Amino acid sequence: MIPAVIYARYSTDMQSASSVEDQIRLCAERAAREGMAVSQHYADHGISGASLMRPGIQQLLQDAMAGKFQVVFAEALDRISRDQEDVAAVFKRLNFAGVQIITLSEGAISELHIGLKGTMNALFLKDLSDKTRRGLRGRVEAGKSGGGNSYGYDVVRKVNAAGEPERGDRKINEDQADIIRRVFNEYAAGTSPRVIAKTLNAEHVPGPTGKTWGPSTIHGNKDRGTGILNNELYIGRLVWNRLRYIKAPETGKRLSRLNPADQWIVQDVPHLRIIDDDLWQKVKARQDATSLGKHDKSKAAGFWDRRRPRFLLSGLIKCGCCGSTFVKISQHHFGCASARNKGTCENKRTIRRDVLESSVLNALQHRLMDDKLLAVFCEEYTRHLNALRMAESGNRAKDEARLQKVIRELDRMIDAICDGVPAERVKDRMIALEAERAEIEKRLEAEPKEEKPLLHPSMGERYRQGVMRLREALADQDAPHEAVEILRGLIDRIVLHPSSEEESGFVMDIEGDLAGILSLCQTSKKAAGLSPDDLMQMKLVAGVGFEPTTFRL
């Protein structure tokens, strides 16, 4: 029997977890009628179809490339994705892997479905977005919330005379309102957001998210209206459409953009006022003075007023006690951000930047690629790569066999026409076979026939030489940026654990990207013959990357 799998998804617009089970049941019935054996189910619960950043669909694509099945069943094409570009990408990858998509709504999916349904789904998302915004605007102009809630308020739940829920009403939470007034008064009196946050955390006051307070939670961004000190709802002004959100095409993450002021919708809601005008103006005056001090070139700017340069390991260093990022706390030292800004971590130790960078570079160059462990990896990788090649060869063999069968059937039809069979009787079948023939031939031409080279036996030494060249490049002031980016690409994160044996020392774990290491081992693209897809497959084989390298500082 042909191996098949099922993909199901329900999104937040459906609000029904049972939808996944319903989709799987219907698809399983269809697969049984087709005489196919369903080996696995893939599902994404409560995730929008506007992005491919979903664990279920990503695992399906990975297993498809490994040759684990030949058919994917789904309720409809929009269950796989509503984005036209993403639908085309999934179809292309599955088609390359020799996997067919069959949906209950459209049947066997072809290029025609991808173009037509993809466009329809994209238009559906756009129309849904426009209708949602129209509804939210009407609610805001009526003085109600346009979605979400702010710290200091509770959601009011009630129903109208028809028994339908009325949404958008809020009321003041007096306990949280007292905290807001306290934050405003302390800031106006000269207390920094960092000290305010540490004090609130020491008193175990829950933050707006129910977790700890941070300085950015308080000061936010004045232009964007974020942060406790910038929320105009606290003075009875409801501002909507200040920001718009778009999704990054590569990551699917939502990014905010500031709208022009003439597009903002502002309504007075005096019953939601928490802060009086005098206190609000004092806070704004201090914010303006602080901002002016940072940008006044005539004044001697201190360390915290300067634009900090990007260091070699910035953003990669994590605290082994709480998991927070290590940040620059002075000109030469890194320290735990939570310990310094929130007071929620006991790890008060610091480390010099030059000591940390030198230690990491030495570890990468001399302690990472152990010859014995490297030999084990090369053996395992070669075995896995050969398995993938066998799967690819199997798919190619199926295509070649099918191509010969199509050619023989076309020849028989031509012979039948020559023997007197009316051409109209076989015309449609011949057109379909010719189209299938062209598709198979195109697929065979696109598949590489030559075998890719295996890992070079001296990969460990090449890696060490590559790191040495990068260290030399870092010392070159003319072109350090490229070297920094390459070296940072080898490291996922660096975890610093306080050493129990030394009062000021650390135990450091380095976790990295195996694909980056393998690419660094290449002497040239031509010699290595490894494409970006190959490197990605290597990373999938190794999971998150190489195992942590641990040593003491």
Side-chain angles (χ1 to χ4, degrees):
M1 300 179 71
I2 299 176
V5 298
I6 294 173
Y7 177 77
R9 176 185 64 82
Y10 84 92
S11 56
T12 53
D13 60 345
M14 296 176 65
Q15 298 295 328
S16 176
S18 63
S19 174
V20 166
E21 285 71 25
D22 294 338
Q23 294 175 48
I24 291 176
R25 183 181 69 255
L26 294 174
C27 290
E29 293 173 355
R30 173 66 180 272
R33 291 197 299 269
E34 298 285 345
M36 299 184 188
V38 176
S39 60
Q40 190 171 350
H41 304 154
Y42 301 87
D44 287 307
H45 300 263
I47 304 178
S48 170
S51 170
L52 282 182
M53 297 297 116
R54 293 173 265 143
I57 194 68
Q58 291 296 327
Q59 186 63 48
L60 183 147
L61 292 173
Q62 181 179 337
D63 290 347
M65 297 303 294
K68 293 185 178 181
F69 51 86
Q70 297 178 19
V71 178
V72 175
F73 282 94
E75 182 186 44
L77 196 58
D78 60 9
R79 294 302 87 201
I80 294 176
S81 179
R82 289 190 184 274
D83 184 89
Q84 187 174 11
E85 183 179 1
D86 289 342
V87 170
V90 171
F91 178 79
K92 183 177 180 180
R93 293 175 65 179
L94 292 180
N95 190 44
F96 176 78
V99 176
Q100 184 182 25
I101 304 175
I102 298 179
T103 69
L104 305 184
S105 300
E106 298 92 2
I109 299 301
S110 65
E111 287 84 354
L112 180 62
H113 295 90
I114 299 302
L116 181 60
K117 293 291 291 186
T119 300
M120 293 175 62
N121 290 333
L123 292 175
F124 169 81
L125 284 179
K126 182 64 170 59
D127 184 57
L128 179 64
S129 175
D130 292 341
K131 289 180 178 178
T132 301
R133 287 185 62 80
R134 287 197 296 270
L136 291 177
R137 177 167 183 167
R139 187 186 299 176
V140 171
E141 291 180 343
K144 299 179 181 292
S145 171
N149 194 23
S150 294
Y151 181 76
Y153 303 95
D154 291 328
V155 176
V156 177
R157 303 185 185 280
K158 59 183 180 180
V159 296
N160 57 23
E164 298 176 347
E166 289 188 359
R167 298 181 174 86
D169 290 312
R170 301 288 185 266
K171 67 178 181 179
I172 296 176
N173 182 313
E174 292 300 336
D175 292 336
Q176 294 179 0
D178 290 339
I179 300 298
I180 293 170
R181 296 186 189 99
R182 172 182 170 183
V183 170
F184 271 78
N185 280 301
E186 291 184 1
Y187 182 83
T191 307
S192 70
R194 178 181 297 148
V195 173
I196 297 173
K198 293 178 73 171
T199 303
L200 292 173
N201 289 329
E203 297 174 5
H204 304 289
V205 177
T209 62
K211 300 180 181 179
T212 58
W213 290 81
S216 62
T217 307
I218 296 172
H219 65 67
N221 185 296
K222 183 181 177 183
D223 294 334
R224 292 172 173 264
T226 60
I228 296 293
L229 298 176
N230 303 306
N231 191 342
E232 296 187 44
L233 193 58
Y234 297 150
I235 57 171
R237 295 181 73 237
L238 176 60
V239 181
W240 182 77
N241 202 39
R242 187 194 299 263
L243 301 175
R244 67 184 185 277
Y245 295 88
I246 58 176
K247 287 189 176 182
E250 292 82 10
T251 64
K253 293 183 179 179
R254 290 207 320 162
L255 303 177
S256 63
R257 297 287 187 271
L258 186 64
N259 285 328
D262 58 2
Q263 295 183 13
W264 301 358
I265 306 299
V266 181
Q267 290 292 324
D268 291 329
V269 284
H271 63 287
L272 296 180
R273 175 187 284 272
I274 295 176
I275 302 298
D276 59 57
D277 286 332
D278 289 341
L279 181 55
W280 177 266
Q281 293 302 328
K282 289 180 181 178
V283 167
K284 296 296 111 178
R286 187 185 172 201
Q287 286 180 322
D288 292 339
T290 303
S291 177
L292 179 62
K294 288 184 178 180
H295 295 91
D296 189 352
K297 301 298 183 180
S298 63
K299 298 182 179 180
F303 172 76
W304 297 110
D305 295 329
R306 294 195 302 267
R307 179 180 178 86
R308 300 178 217 172
R310 183 180 183 180
F311 298 105
L312 176 62
L313 303 176
S314 296
L316 302 177
I317 318 164
K318 304 296 180 181
C319 176
C321 296
C322 67
S324 296
T325 301
F326 261 52
V327 297
K328 205 78 186 311
I329 62 172
S330 69
Q331 187 173 0
H332 300 293
H333 289 79
F334 280 97
C336 175
S338 291
R340 178 175 178 82
N341 297 331
K342 299 182 179 180
T344 56
C345 180
E346 297 181 355
N347 184 10
K348 302 295 194 301
R349 297 185 184 182
T350 63
I351 184 171
R352 283 184 60 91
R353 178 173 65 90
D354 54 352
V355 172
L356 178 63
E357 292 178 357
S358 177
S359 300
V360 170
L361 290 172
N362 286 333
L364 291 178
Q365 186 173 355
H366 301 295
R367 304 187 60 172
L368 179 61
M369 300 292 277
D370 180 83
D371 291 337
K372 293 182 180 179
L373 296 178
L374 179 60
V376 173
F377 165 75
C378 289
E379 180 180 351
E380 288 298 313
Y381 173 73
T382 301
R383 182 175 60 82
H384 181 84
L385 187 61
N386 287 335
L388 292 179
R389 288 173 178 169
M390 291 179 64
E392 292 178 0
S393 298
N395 292 334
R396 184 178 182 83
K398 291 178 182 178
D399 281 341
E400 291 175 344
R402 177 57 184 169
L403 179 60
Q404 294 302 317
K405 184 175 181 180
V406 168
I407 293 175
R408 287 195 298 270
E409 189 169 351
L410 285 170
D411 290 340
R412 285 196 296 270
M413 289 183 179
I414 294 174
D415 292 339
I417 293 174
C418 293
D419 291 339
V421 175
E424 289 76 9
R425 294 181 54 184
V426 295
K427 180 184 66 174
D428 293 340
R429 178 59 178 166
M430 290 186 69
I431 293 175
L433 288 174
E434 284 290 354
E436 183 179 2
R437 175 181 178 176
E439 181 181 349
I440 295 175
E441 289 177 343
K442 182 179 179 181
R443 190 159 60 236
L444 289 174
E445 291 176 358
E447 294 178 1
K449 298 181 180 180
E450 70 279 358
E451 289 196 353
K452 305 169 186 176
L454 298 181
L455 299 177
H456 198 282
S458 61
M459 185 177 70
E461 181 59 31
R462 291 189 179 191
Y463 168 78
R464 283 186 280 272
Q465 293 176 2
V467 175
M468 182 178 67
R469 290 194 297 270
L470 284 177
R471 295 190 69 168
E472 294 172 352
L474 289 173
D476 182 4
Q477 297 299 321
D478 293 333
H481 180 72
E482 182 179 0
V484 168
E485 291 302 315
I486 295 174
L487 196 56
R488 285 175 62 89
L490 300 179
I491 303 171
D492 283 341
R493 65 176 187 162
I494 301 166
V495 184
L496 296 181
H497 305 271
S499 173
S500 58
E501 299 179 4
E502 302 178 28
E503 186 174 345
S504 60
F506 287 96
V507 175
M508 178 169 65
D509 291 340
I510 304 177
E511 301 175 12
D513 182 354
L514 180 61
I517 290 177
L518 293 177
S519 63
L520 186 64
C521 298
Q522 303 178 63
T523 56
S524 69
K525 293 182 180 180
K526 181 177 180 180
L530 296 177
S531 67
D533 291 338
D534 299 324
L535 296 179
M536 179 58 68
Q537 183 59 52
M538 295 176 193
K539 187 172 184 180
L540 294 175
V541 174
V544 297
F546 54 76
E547 290 299 322
T549 298
T550 304
F551 59 96
R552 299 185 183 278
L553 294 176

